[in-house]
Amino acid sequence: MRSMEGYDNLWMPFTSYQDFIDYPPLVIKNGEGIYLYDKDGNKYIDGIGSWWVSIFGHNNKYIKDAIKKQLDDLEHVHMAGCISTTTLELSRKLGAILPTGLDRIFYSDNGSTSVEVAMKIALQYHYIRSENRTKFVSLDGGYHGDTLGAASVGAIPVYHSVFQETFKKHLYTDAPYCYRCPVGKDASTCNAECMDSLETILKEQGDEIAACLFEPMVQGAVGMRVYPSKVLKRIFSLCRRYDVLTIADEVAMGLGRTGKLFACDHAEHVPDMMCLSKGLTAGFLPLSATIVKESIYKEFCSDYRSERTFQHGHTFTGNPVASAASVATLDLIAQYDIPRSLEKITGYFHKEMMKFSDLECVGDIRVLGTVGALEIVKDRKTKEKHAPEERFTFKVARKALNHGLIIRPLGNVLYFMLPYNITEEQIFTMLSGTRKSIKEVLDDSCNS
Ligand SMILES: Cc1ncc(COP(=O)(O)O)c(C=O)c1O
């Protein structure tokens, strides 16, 4: 019987009470490279990079040493009136790799707050310019975090419907969901028509809209829905045509994830604002950045008497230890020539992922850079989904533990987020563990 010590005080994220009781959390003691080890020493591949953050695996020595060194000097200083030497260094190094035109970095401490900051900057920017623009437009299926503002621009019923009344004001386009295209196109006929809905919204209400928010190239939390760069290009061109600011939420896909340094690079466009987090410290410490164009920053330039100051900050804004982790992460990105050096491993990954097409239950295979997803269906021809109560993907993830693999499905989607230093052999082991787990669940359902 499991010990209740500690458990009685816990409230787990995204976990029902009953699952918490029936499936107690795996207690992890340590990590090394792509592996996590539980308290009994069992070894698991971390197939989802601990919620997509561990871009260089666990316990990376270079980053760890940078943190230790920082701890000898300074753990924290507030950032209004002071700044640590390390946060300054980070700003210089991050500034050097940002897309041209994105210059001003505002720090906070997680992905949701980076989105909150972007939204508030957009609102205040228009306020300063005496423009009555207070709505946001975002994409159906989007996820931008769980704080109230960030959640208000998300559109995934399981996370957002309870709070929808509060979010009434905002606008949502069709989903760029190619496997189940909302406008009935396929890859050969698609001309980004899912964004006709954006055009209609912008045409009718563009002058009330503070900004358009989107996850470039991959809608992550809804099920790693990869969409074509032509859709992203259309979002940019429509926003430009109707003079609406763009906020690219690169919290999950920035810093090499999609095979480009920034996901917006696939469309060769620079957004007006960009949000980064997750990989920014390679998973060592919470940190995020909202980066804006100088032309936006300029509107905020005045003295203390005006309403132009951005009255926003977090206690841990620009924390020096998180900054040290981030400086070290950016060093590794440069040293390992990310994303160029990822080509070999992602080529192998994509090839291996495609082999899942021999399983009838795999309806769609989506891959981009180090992201891979399998959408599981009950019937491949009709694309019928498993009923939620069948918990197909949940069962696969449970089985995967027995094969030394940690994955966590998103609805009916199984997915992987590779660390950048994974080997072909490790990818092979991870994917075969998944295949075995799927087959076991299929066998169980045949036998039941
Ligand atoms: C695209 C995107 N934006 C924002 C967030 C929120 O980040 P956090 O969980 O750090 O608040 C996430 C988290 O998964 C995300 O995927």
Side-chain angles (χ1 to χ4, degrees):
M1 200 167 84
R2 80 182 155 96
S3 152
M4 289 304 287
E5 204 178 351
Y7 289 91
D8 286 348
N9 302 100
L10 275 171
W11 191 336
M12 307 296 278
F14 299 119
T15 305
S16 74
Y17 164 80
Q18 200 57 50
D19 277 353
F20 178 40
I21 300 299
D22 295 345
Y23 308 100
L26 189 62
V27 181
I28 299 297
K29 170 100 178 7
N30 55 305
E32 190 64 49
I34 69 157
Y35 300 106
L36 289 168
Y37 296 83
D38 70 17
K39 62 181 182 4
D40 302 316
N42 297 310
K43 174 172 149 182
Y44 306 86
I45 293 178
D46 181 356
I48 60 162
S50 286
W51 270 346
W52 328 346
V53 295
S54 308
I55 59 175
F56 293 110
H58 294 278
N59 204 17
N60 179 282
K61 187 170 171 354
Y62 183 75
I63 303 173
K64 196 168 63 175
D65 286 348
I67 292 171
K68 284 183 182 167
K69 188 165 169 296
Q70 179 63 42
L71 285 173
D72 284 338
D73 286 342
L74 178 67
E75 77 298 335
H76 189 55
V77 61
H78 71 276
M79 222 186 110
C82 299
I83 184 161
S84 76
T85 51
T86 316
T87 309
L88 258 185
E89 186 187 359
L90 172 61
S91 309
R92 185 173 51 76
K93 287 198 165 162
L94 185 56
I97 63 163
L98 287 170
T100 314
L102 280 175
D103 293 319
R104 289 285 163 177
I105 307 167
F106 191 100
Y107 294 107
S108 56
D109 34 42
N110 60 72
S112 305
T113 55
S114 73
V115 171
E116 297 281 338
V117 168
M119 292 173 73
K120 284 181 71 179
I121 289 176
L123 290 170
Q124 189 166 340
Y125 169 82
H126 295 299
Y127 176 86
I128 291 167
R129 292 158 58 97
S130 304
E131 294 165 340
N132 185 20
R133 290 174 177 253
T134 54
K135 295 178 181 175
F136 288 91
V137 60
S138 54
L139 276 48
D140 187 24
Y143 180 84
H144 300 284
D146 282 338
T147 54
L148 215 49
S152 75
V153 284
I156 307 178
V158 67
Y159 305 127
H160 301 122
S161 56
V162 172
F163 310 103
Q164 201 57 47
E165 269 303 292
T166 313
F167 310 155
K168 256 185 183 160
K169 203 170 174 183
H170 300 324
L171 305 156
Y172 311 90
T173 69
D174 282 338
Y177 183 13
C178 303
Y179 180 55
R180 301 173 195 275
C181 176
V183 288
K185 298 285 173 175
D186 61 30
S188 63
T189 57
C190 164
N191 227 343
E193 287 87 348
C194 56
M195 286 305 127
D196 287 354
S197 52
L198 176 61
E199 178 148 33
T200 306
I201 290 170
L202 296 182
K203 215 183 258 171
E204 288 170 4
Q205 306 184 56
D207 58 359
E208 296 168 47
I209 294 173
C212 173
L213 259 125
F214 49 88
E215 293 161 270
M217 295 307 291
V218 183
Q219 289 191 299
V222 76
M224 299 301 154
R225 292 183 190 164
V226 179
Y227 61 86
S229 58
K230 63 178 120 179
V231 172
L232 186 56
K233 282 184 182 154
R234 183 138 193 244
I235 296 172
F236 277 116
S237 74
L238 286 172
C239 288
R240 183 176 295 167
R241 185 172 337 140
Y242 291 95
D243 198 20
V244 166
L245 294 179
T246 48
I247 302 175
D249 179 351
E250 299 237 10
V251 163
M253 296 301 151
L255 300 170
R257 261 279 164 245
T258 65
K260 302 262 185 200
L261 195 52
F262 300 102
C264 286
D265 295 346
H266 288 274
E268 293 167 351
H269 270 273
V270 179
D272 295 304
M273 295 189 227
M274 179 189 275
C275 303
L276 292 176
S277 189
K278 294 210 187 260
L280 193 55
T281 63
F284 274 75
L285 285 162
L287 181 74
S288 60
T290 307
I291 304 131
V292 309
K293 281 188 173 163
E294 196 65 16
S295 53
I296 294 179
Y297 180 72
K298 276 208 176 98
E299 293 287 352
F300 290 74
C301 297
S302 189
D303 69 17
Y304 69 94
R305 285 164 299 197
S306 86
E307 281 183 318
R308 291 179 180 235
T309 303
F310 187 46
Q311 297 289 2
H312 185 107
H314 299 275
T315 307
F316 287 103
T317 291
N319 173 261
V321 190
S323 299
S326 190
V327 167
T329 301
L330 297 185
D331 286 348
L332 292 183
I333 285 176
Q335 187 187 322
Y336 292 129
D337 194 14
I338 305 294
R340 217 164 57 86
S341 65
L342 294 173
E343 279 167 21
K344 186 165 172 290
I345 207 70
T346 54
Y348 175 79
F349 177 51
H350 295 189
K351 193 169 72 105
E352 290 301 307
M353 281 291 290
M354 287 306 161
K355 293 185 180 164
F356 279 99
S357 61
D358 66 350
L359 296 181
E360 270 299 305
C361 66
V362 174
D364 192 27
I365 303 173
R366 305 192 268 268
V367 282
L368 187 67
T370 60
V371 185
L374 306 172
E375 180 157 338
I376 303 296
V377 287
K378 194 163 189 159
D379 184 322
R380 196 188 249 175
K381 275 203 193 83
T382 62
K383 300 185 182 176
E384 186 195 346
K385 296 176 186 175
H386 283 277
E389 52 278 16
E390 289 179 54
R391 307 199 84 183
F392 188 97
T393 52
F394 178 83
K395 287 176 187 165
V396 173
R398 297 295 311 166
K399 295 274 187 202
L401 292 175
N402 302 329
H403 298 290
L405 172 62
I406 296 176
I407 47 178
R408 191 187 148 86
L410 293 161
N412 52 351
V413 172
L414 296 166
Y415 75 93
F416 311 98
M417 281 277 187
L418 306 186
Y420 299 168
N421 50 352
I422 196 168
T423 65
E424 290 188 1
E425 200 186 347
Q426 289 166 334
I427 291 176
F428 183 80
T429 309
M430 183 178 82
L431 298 185
S432 2
T434 306
R435 179 178 281 273
K436 281 182 208 150
S437 309
I438 294 174
K439 284 193 168 153
E440 285 167 12
V441 174
L442 289 170
D443 287 348
D444 288 353
S445 58
C446 284
N447 298 333
S448 65

